[in-house]
Every structure is written in structure tokens, then in C-alpha cells.
Amino acid sequence: MAVAVAAAHAPEHPTTTGLNSRKMLFWAFLGSECMFFGSLIATYLVYRGRDQVGPHPHDTFNIVFTSFSAFVLLMSSLTMVLALAACQRGNVRGTRVWLAATALLGMTFVGGQCYEFSEFFSHGLKLQGNLFGATFYVLTGFHGTHVTVGVIWLWSLFMMAMRGKLGPDRSLDVEIAGLYWHFVDVVWIAIFTLVYLIQ
């Protein structure tokens, strides 16, 4: 995450490829994040179905509820795009509205995940209970942490917009945050498909 912060505050100079150095640095960070989540997903898949004791996925998952949470997170990608477009056009009010909407949708997702975890725990699914619990909580917990970091980032941008410090000349700040937000959305699509839908 330190790399992400460095990318957000690095000087805006083009690289030899003509691309912005901040954006290049952030793409490199997202590449490392892909490997990180790829290893967590691979670990979950390798150990899936090897439990000797329950509870198992079909005993705990509420696909309808999780589908709603996934829909909320996916819709936040749309509001993130609208926030960037508003910022690039110099629409201060639109920037504020869409950044706040994106952050609130992210908070709704995280709240839903906390509720889901509490329900799973009440049904006996614990981190140390079996392989499924260990790999599931680590994978989805790290994703939830990333979404939470994104929400904090979005509220920081919202406060900048409220102070009039997020005009078209600072649209790259919103674009980089958008890259991060779209990344966590794409990761959730993979997790939702491989963990919840394909059992």
C-alpha cells in the first residue's frame, strides 16, 4: 500500500513511453496486487473440498445476499466513472456527488461483508475451524480490507473537492483512485464467481 501512496503523490512527469509516471507506477503496484490475490485465490481452490469436518460452503453461503452485495460494488464502478468525468469537466458538484456515492456504495459492501461474516461465525464457520474457513476468511477478508482502504481514499478526495482543491488539473488523482477502485471490483467478480457460484 505504500507504493500506492507514493504513486498518488509522485511528480507528474511522462516516462520514455509518453505515459504519466504516476500512472505507470500505479499500474506496477496493481500488477503486484494481481499476484497477491492470485495466490490467495489459488490457495482457496487447491484446498477446496478437502475438509474432513464442516461447515462447508453449501451449509453457509447465502447466494442471494452476496449477489446483492456484488451488484452494489459493481454499481460503484459506474459512479466512479461518473466522478472522474465530472472532475475532468470541472463540474465540482458532480465530482462531490459521485465520489460520495461511490464511497457510500463501498461502505454498503463492507457492511454487508461484516454482516455475512457474523452470520457465518454464528453457523460455526471460524478461521481456525477447517480449511474452508481459513482460506475463505483470508481471501475475502483481504479483499474487504482493500475496499475499506479505497473508501478512505474516496472520502479524502471528497474532502479535497469540498475545499475546492479537486479541479480538472487534479483529475489524475481521481483517475488513479478509479484504477484502484475498478481493480477491487474486478477482483470481487473473480472471487464471487470462483468461491460463491462455482462450488
Side-chain angles (χ1 to χ4, degrees), residues 17-70:
T17 63
L19 298 175
N20 184 277
S21 58
R22 291 173 61 191
K23 200 180 294 186
M24 287 288 289
L25 179 60
F26 200 78
W27 275 112
F29 165 72
L30 291 181
S32 68
E33 287 287 278
C34 286
M35 291 187 286
F36 173 72
F37 276 105
S39 65
L40 293 180
I41 292 172
T43 302
Y44 176 86
L45 295 176
V46 165
Y47 289 109
R48 181 168 62 184
R50 297 191 179 189
D51 292 306
Q52 301 300 317
V53 296
H56 303 288
H58 61 270
D59 300 322
T60 54
F61 286 162
N62 182 344
I63 300 299
V64 174
F65 180 82
T66 310
S67 297
F68 173 76
S69 293

Side-chain angles (χ1 to χ4, degrees), residues 8 17 29 53 56 61 68 70 78 92 109 127 141 147 155 160 171:
T17 63
F29 165 72
V53 296
H56 303 288
F61 286 162
F68 173 76
L78 172 61
V92 178
F109 174 83
L127 181 65
V147 175
W155 282 125
M160 288 176 62
S171 63

Side-chain angles (χ1 to χ4, degrees), residues 43-158:
T43 302
Y44 176 86
L45 295 176
V46 165
Y47 289 109
R48 181 168 62 184
R50 297 191 179 189
D51 292 306
Q52 301 300 317
V53 296
H56 303 288
H58 61 270
D59 300 322
T60 54
F61 286 162
N62 182 344
I63 300 299
V64 174
F65 180 82
T66 310
S67 297
F68 173 76
S69 293
F71 175 77
V72 166
L73 192 61
L74 291 178
M75 285 301 99
S76 71
S77 269
L78 172 61
T79 58
M80 188 71 236
V81 169
L82 294 172
L84 175 59
C87 184
Q88 290 172 336
R89 291 194 308 266
N91 181 353
V92 178
R93 182 178 181 277
T95 303
R96 295 171 183 169
V97 168
W98 295 120
L99 282 174
T102 307
L104 289 171
L105 288 170
M107 291 172 66
T108 302
F109 174 83
V110 173
Q113 192 172 52
C114 291
Y115 169 78
E116 188 178 51
F117 281 7
S118 66
E119 285 292 302
F120 292 166
F121 193 82
S122 68
H123 286 88
L125 182 63
K126 301 178 182 178
L127 181 65
Q128 69 277 20
N130 57 15
L131 284 173
F132 165 56
T135 55
F136 171 80
Y137 280 127
V138 170
L139 172 58
T140 56
F142 269 113
H143 178 265
T145 302
H146 278 69
V147 175
T148 303
V149 169
V151 168
I152 295 170
W153 193 347
L154 290 169
W155 282 125
S156 299
L157 291 173
F158 174 80

